[in-house]
Amino acid sequence: MKAILTVIGKDNVGIIAGVSQELSELEINILDVSQTIMDGYFTMMMMLDISTTTKAFDEIKRRLAKKGEALNVKINIQREEIFNSMHKL
């Protein structure tokens, strides 16, 4: 099963490291990543494989939101099928 993760906020040191570390602890693999900094704002989108984790999706969501607070960014995760349904024309 795949999920889409987005990270948005003011750029600061350690965002990628912090998000990657949390995903590693959750046993979630990063399949693809795109990130950029525009006028001091950091944005990142990741495609994740969540089939390897033993954690419930609600716990994953909660832990990533908490990590986002610690990093001063907004982290959102959605299952791939929900993301695709929301963005389909």
Side-chain angles (χ1 to χ4, degrees), residues 17-29 52-55 59-60 63-64 67:
V19 172
S20 297
Q21 179 64 37
E22 191 68 27
L23 292 171
S24 175
E25 290 173 11
L26 290 164
E27 299 180 46
I28 294 174
N29 190 36
T52 55
T53 187
T54 59
K55 307 294 184 207
E59 182 178 350
I60 294 168
R63 283 187 49 180
L64 288 169
K67 177 56 78 173

Side-chain angles (χ1 to χ4, degrees), residues 83-89:
F83 183 87
N84 287 338
S85 294
M86 290 177 59
H87 296 92
K88 198 173 189 178
L89 294 176

Side-chain angles (χ1 to χ4, degrees), residues 2 4 78-88:
K2 294 180 185 174
I4 308 297
Q78 293 179 306
R79 288 185 170 97
E80 181 184 34
E81 62 270 15
I82 301 296
F83 183 87
N84 287 338
S85 294
M86 290 177 59
H87 296 92
K88 198 173 189 178

Side-chain angles (χ1 to χ4, degrees), residues 61-73:
K61 202 170 191 172
R62 181 188 56 75
R63 283 187 49 180
L64 288 169
K66 186 176 179 181
K67 177 56 78 173
E69 290 173 13
L71 296 170
N72 294 314
V73 294

Side-chain angles (χ1 to χ4, degrees), residues 47-58:
M47 171 77 71
L48 307 172
D49 178 358
I50 60 173
S51 64
T52 55
T53 187
T54 59
K55 307 294 184 207
F57 192 77
D58 287 342

